[in-house]
Amino acid sequence: LSDSFFMRDFLHSEISEIEGIPNIPENPDLAIEVGKCLCENVLEPIQEKFGRVSIRSAYRSPSVNAKGAENRNQYNCARNEANYAGHIWDYRDEDGFMGATACIVVNRFISYYESTGNWQALAWWIHDNIPEYSSMYFFPKLAAFNVSWHERPKKTIKSHINGSKGVLTKPGMDNFTGEHLNEYREMLKELKL
């Protein structure tokens, strides 16, 4: 898909393994097209700055996602229609647009996050420096986050981390525009970037 990422990196699925459902795209050409956009425009620039990016989960076939939505308490998946152009890469969303989501960990960021709890520093850096991202949603473990590329980017940052749950920014909020260097300057110094 790009210099550092292969499609197979995104096909591993715990739901697929546990439930015995193949996690293979039904529309492979579309999955590859949007996977390239996600990798080239979002993941490669993050990895270029911070080093290794680990993929926790990414592509879900409609049948894998449906099983995850059916057992929402166990797997925490949204229904298929809500995941088209998200975790389900090979289907366009209800408006006909393409998109792709991957849950990633920025390995070099883990120690900084664990010592400071400041997940927002990475979020603001991406917001300021990766114009092709569509959305980010941060989780407490390892500051893992869903990051998306989409033809019609939403440009939202949300968190599921205790003490900072909710929306960090989105279009129309006072903090959305401008540079946010003060929010991540210390992180860059600490990580020697």
Side-chain angles (χ1 to χ4, degrees), residues 97-176:
F97 292 100
M98 300 183 302
T101 297
C103 185
I104 66 170
V105 171
V106 176
N107 297 19
R108 190 174 190 173
F109 183 70
I110 295 170
S111 61
Y112 178 81
Y113 168 70
E114 289 178 346
S115 67
T116 67
N118 184 4
W119 62 270
Q120 297 94 330
L122 180 58
W124 283 122
W125 185 90
I126 292 170
H127 182 75
D128 284 357
N129 294 280
I130 312 292
E132 297 285 333
Y133 92 92
S134 176
S135 63
M136 291 181 269
Y137 200 115
F138 281 78
F139 304 101
K141 187 173 184 180
L142 305 174
F145 62 104
N146 284 348
V147 63
S148 300
W149 171 90
H150 194 275
E151 282 186 294
R152 185 188 285 172
K154 297 174 184 87
K155 306 301 271 186
T156 60
I157 304 173
K158 297 179 181 179
S159 167
H160 193 63
I161 298 173
N162 287 336
S164 59
K165 286 184 179 181
V167 178
L168 176 64
T169 196
K170 64 181 181 179
M173 288 181 69
D174 290 342
N175 66 354
F176 183 78

